[in-house]
Amino acid sequence: MNTEKENTLPEQPIEEICEEEKPVPGAEKNTGAEGGGEPASGESSSPPDRETEEMAALIEALEERNRELTAALASARADFFNYRKRIEKDRQRERSVAGEEKAMEFIPVLDNLDRALSVKPDSDGKTVLEGVAMVRRQFLSVLESMGVEPVPTVGSPFSPEHHDAVAAEETDDPEMNGIVIEEIQTGYRTKDRILRPAKVKVASCTTGKTH
């Protein structure tokens, strides 16, 4: 009797058994994530080692470029320093040559001056004066070759730029007022500037001045 009762237990429907065995949605995905599974296809990231290598290569290239520029700057400075020394040396040589050439022009003047001074004491003064006058002409010729000439004086209107009035002389002629009437010391000028103003005496009209 007991055996018969055990065999007559009610059977469960087949559909209920299948429902109990269905997996939970998302459980499989979560299991993979928790278990350290591989990421889904298409999800990739740059390895840190690769970025470090690229950064190190960039730093090395910049340092190399900096070394090249530093060397180029040092070379340019050395070239400029040598250029300045060479230019200064050339200028000194040019000044020396120019001085030598002008000295050669003054030597004949000195020769004539020596001849004038070598006149015998019993000679007349006229010969000495002629020799000195010749020396002066030679001096003026040399100065003229250097672009130097005397400042015009007697008969020229007084000019503060060209003349230095050291004396005045009264005159009754209004037209002579402010005219240089005597040169006390010769002045010299070049094309560009006054080397030395001439010391002169100027006429000054005190009466009948024109306005």
Side-chain angles (χ1 to χ4, degrees), residues 9-175:
L9 291 174
E11 297 179 359
Q12 291 182 343
I14 296 175
E15 295 178 358
E16 293 180 0
I17 294 174
C18 293
E19 289 178 358
E20 291 177 359
E21 293 177 356
K22 288 181 179 180
V24 179
E28 187 174 323
K29 184 178 180 181
N30 294 335
T31 302
E34 293 175 358
E38 296 181 357
S41 60
E43 298 179 3
S44 60
S45 59
S46 300
D49 293 342
R50 183 177 179 183
E51 294 181 356
T52 303
E53 292 176 358
E54 292 178 352
M55 184 61 68
L58 178 60
I59 292 174
E60 179 63 24
L62 291 176
E63 290 179 348
E64 179 64 23
R65 182 58 176 166
N66 182 53
R67 287 191 290 269
E68 293 176 357
L69 293 176
T70 301
L73 178 60
S75 177
R77 286 179 176 175
D79 292 342
F80 180 70
F81 178 75
N82 293 332
Y83 170 77
R84 289 183 58 184
K85 288 183 65 178
R86 185 169 61 255
I87 291 299
E88 182 62 27
K89 187 176 181 179
D90 291 343
R91 288 177 177 174
Q92 290 179 355
R93 184 167 58 251
E94 290 175 359
R95 288 193 292 265
S96 178
V97 171
E100 292 173 358
E101 292 177 352
K102 295 306 175 184
M104 292 295 295
E105 295 181 8
F106 276 106
I107 289 177
V109 180
L110 182 61
D111 291 339
N112 288 328
L113 184 60
D114 290 338
R115 293 190 186 97
L117 294 175
S118 64
V119 175
K120 297 179 180 180
D122 56 352
S123 301
D124 58 352
K126 183 178 179 181
T127 303
V128 176
L129 290 176
E130 289 177 352
V132 173
M134 182 177 62
V135 171
R136 184 178 186 278
R137 287 194 298 270
Q138 280 189 306
F139 261 111
L140 291 176
S141 177
V142 173
L143 290 176
E144 185 177 356
S145 68
M146 299 170 62
V148 179
E149 63 180 7
V151 173
T153 54
V154 178
S156 301
F158 174 79
S159 171
E161 297 179 355
H162 298 82
H163 306 129
D164 181 13
V166 296
E169 183 175 313
E170 295 185 359
T171 178
D172 295 333
D173 188 355
E175 294 182 358

Side-chain angles (χ1 to χ4, degrees), residues 54 98-99 136 160 185 198-199 204:
E54 292 178 352
R136 184 178 186 278
Q185 185 182 62
K199 295 183 183 297
S204 175

